[in-house]
mmCIF file of all heavy atoms in Angstrom:
data_model
loop_
_atom_site.group_PDB
_atom_site.id
_atom_site.type_symbol
_atom_site.label_atom_id
_atom_site.label_comp_id
_atom_site.label_asym_id
_atom_site.label_seq_id
_atom_site.Cartn_x
_atom_site.Cartn_y
_atom_site.Cartn_z
ATOM 1 N N ARG B 43 123.045 101.289 28.836
ATOM 2 C CA ARG B 43 123.199 101.216 30.285
ATOM 3 C C ARG B 43 122.800 99.815 30.740
ATOM 4 O O ARG B 43 122.192 99.064 29.974
ATOM 5 C CB ARG B 43 122.263 102.233 30.965
ATOM 6 C CG ARG B 43 122.574 103.675 30.634
ATOM 7 C CD ARG B 43 123.625 104.256 31.520
ATOM 8 N NE ARG B 43 123.171 104.389 32.907
ATOM 9 C CZ ARG B 43 123.989 104.735 33.899
ATOM 10 N NH1 ARG B 43 125.272 104.952 33.671
ATOM 11 N NH2 ARG B 43 123.519 104.859 35.123
ATOM 12 N N TYR B 49 122.714 104.691 26.392
ATOM 13 C CA TYR B 49 123.648 105.243 27.364
ATOM 14 C C TYR B 49 123.425 106.744 27.559
ATOM 15 O O TYR B 49 123.545 107.275 28.666
ATOM 16 C CB TYR B 49 125.101 104.992 26.924
ATOM 17 C CG TYR B 49 126.063 105.310 28.040
ATOM 18 C CD1 TYR B 49 126.425 104.327 28.961
ATOM 19 C CD2 TYR B 49 126.567 106.599 28.208
ATOM 20 C CE1 TYR B 49 127.256 104.615 30.015
ATOM 21 C CE2 TYR B 49 127.402 106.896 29.269
ATOM 22 C CZ TYR B 49 127.751 105.905 30.167
ATOM 23 O OH TYR B 49 128.564 106.191 31.212
ATOM 24 N N HIS B 52 121.728 108.627 30.482
ATOM 25 C CA HIS B 52 122.508 108.963 31.673
ATOM 26 C C HIS B 52 123.095 110.380 31.565
ATOM 27 O O HIS B 52 123.013 111.167 32.514
ATOM 28 C CB HIS B 52 123.610 107.915 31.840
ATOM 29 C CG HIS B 52 124.663 108.267 32.841
ATOM 30 N ND1 HIS B 52 124.400 108.374 34.197
ATOM 31 C CD2 HIS B 52 125.990 108.533 32.690
ATOM 32 C CE1 HIS B 52 125.524 108.694 34.833
ATOM 33 N NE2 HIS B 52 126.502 108.806 33.950
ATOM 34 N N CYS B 53 123.648 110.717 30.410
ATOM 35 C CA CYS B 53 124.243 112.051 30.213
ATOM 36 C C CYS B 53 123.170 113.141 30.336
ATOM 37 O O CYS B 53 123.408 114.193 30.933
ATOM 38 C CB CYS B 53 124.928 112.130 28.858
ATOM 39 S SG CYS B 53 126.026 110.738 28.539
ATOM 40 N N VAL B 56 122.305 113.642 34.053
ATOM 41 C CA VAL B 56 123.326 114.393 34.789
ATOM 42 C C VAL B 56 123.201 115.889 34.467
ATOM 43 O O VAL B 56 123.238 116.740 35.362
ATOM 44 C CB VAL B 56 124.743 113.858 34.472
ATOM 45 C CG1 VAL B 56 125.817 114.717 35.109
ATOM 46 C CG2 VAL B 56 124.875 112.412 34.948
ATOM 47 N N HIS B 76 130.382 114.257 29.835
ATOM 48 C CA HIS B 76 131.298 113.809 30.894
ATOM 49 C C HIS B 76 131.877 112.407 30.708
ATOM 50 O O HIS B 76 132.922 112.099 31.258
ATOM 51 C CB HIS B 76 130.649 113.943 32.280
ATOM 52 C CG HIS B 76 129.701 112.835 32.639
ATOM 53 N ND1 HIS B 76 128.381 112.858 32.308
ATOM 54 C CD2 HIS B 76 129.890 111.666 33.305
ATOM 55 C CE1 HIS B 76 127.785 111.758 32.753
ATOM 56 N NE2 HIS B 76 128.679 111.015 33.355
ATOM 57 N N ASP B 77 131.207 111.551 29.922
ATOM 58 C CA ASP B 77 131.727 110.194 29.738
ATOM 59 C C ASP B 77 132.351 109.935 28.362
ATOM 60 O O ASP B 77 132.749 108.811 28.081
ATOM 61 C CB ASP B 77 130.610 109.162 29.993
ATOM 62 C CG ASP B 77 130.422 108.872 31.485
ATOM 63 O OD1 ASP B 77 131.424 108.928 32.230
ATOM 64 O OD2 ASP B 77 129.278 108.593 31.899
ATOM 65 N N ASP B 81 134.501 106.586 27.712
ATOM 66 C CA ASP B 81 133.736 105.482 27.117
ATOM 67 C C ASP B 81 133.597 105.491 25.604
ATOM 68 O O ASP B 81 132.930 104.623 25.043
ATOM 69 C CB ASP B 81 132.320 105.445 27.722
ATOM 70 C CG ASP B 81 132.349 105.191 29.223
ATOM 71 O OD1 ASP B 81 133.308 104.539 29.679
ATOM 72 O OD2 ASP B 81 131.424 105.638 29.919
ATOM 73 N N VAL B 104 136.573 115.045 35.432
ATOM 74 C CA VAL B 104 135.643 113.969 35.803
ATOM 75 C C VAL B 104 136.234 112.613 35.426
ATOM 76 O O VAL B 104 136.143 111.644 36.184
ATOM 77 C CB VAL B 104 134.266 114.165 35.113
ATOM 78 C CG1 VAL B 104 133.328 113.013 35.442
ATOM 79 C CG2 VAL B 104 133.640 115.487 35.521
ATOM 80 N N ASP B 108 137.122 109.465 37.887
ATOM 81 C CA ASP B 108 136.579 108.121 37.688
ATOM 82 C C ASP B 108 137.681 107.068 37.744
ATOM 83 O O ASP B 108 137.428 105.925 38.097
ATOM 84 C CB ASP B 108 135.875 108.019 36.320
ATOM 85 C CG ASP B 108 134.521 108.711 36.337
ATOM 86 O OD1 ASP B 108 133.998 108.913 37.454
ATOM 87 O OD2 ASP B 108 134.009 109.047 35.272
ATOM 88 N N LYS B 140 130.450 115.257 39.113
ATOM 89 C CA LYS B 140 130.614 113.905 39.663
ATOM 90 C C LYS B 140 129.472 113.561 40.633
ATOM 91 O O LYS B 140 128.985 112.430 40.668
ATOM 92 C CB LYS B 140 131.975 113.825 40.371
ATOM 93 C CG LYS B 140 132.389 112.452 40.801
ATOM 94 C CD LYS B 140 132.567 111.507 39.633
ATOM 95 C CE LYS B 140 132.373 110.061 40.096
ATOM 96 N NZ LYS B 140 132.209 109.145 38.959
ATOM 97 N N ASP B 143 126.470 112.792 38.622
ATOM 98 C CA ASP B 143 126.716 111.490 38.012
ATOM 99 C C ASP B 143 126.381 110.385 39.017
ATOM 100 O O ASP B 143 125.678 109.425 38.714
ATOM 101 C CB ASP B 143 128.205 111.440 37.617
ATOM 102 C CG ASP B 143 128.634 110.104 37.034
ATOM 103 O OD1 ASP B 143 128.083 109.714 35.997
ATOM 104 O OD2 ASP B 143 129.517 109.457 37.630
ATOM 105 N N ASN B 147 123.490 107.427 38.960
ATOM 106 C CA ASN B 147 123.872 106.024 39.112
ATOM 107 C C ASN B 147 123.159 105.380 40.298
ATOM 108 O O ASN B 147 122.798 104.209 40.257
ATOM 109 C CB ASN B 147 125.396 105.892 39.258
ATOM 110 C CG ASN B 147 126.106 106.129 37.935
ATOM 111 O OD1 ASN B 147 125.510 105.998 36.863
ATOM 112 N ND2 ASN B 147 127.378 106.506 37.996
HETATM 113 MN MN1 MN D 19 128.763 108.945 34.139
#
Side-chain angles (χ1 to χ4, degrees):
R43 297 274 293 172
Y49 191 89
H52 168 66
C53 311
V56 174
H76 80 273
D77 278 328
D81 298 332
V104 177
D108 284 340
K140 189 63 205 166
D143 177 61
N147 287 338

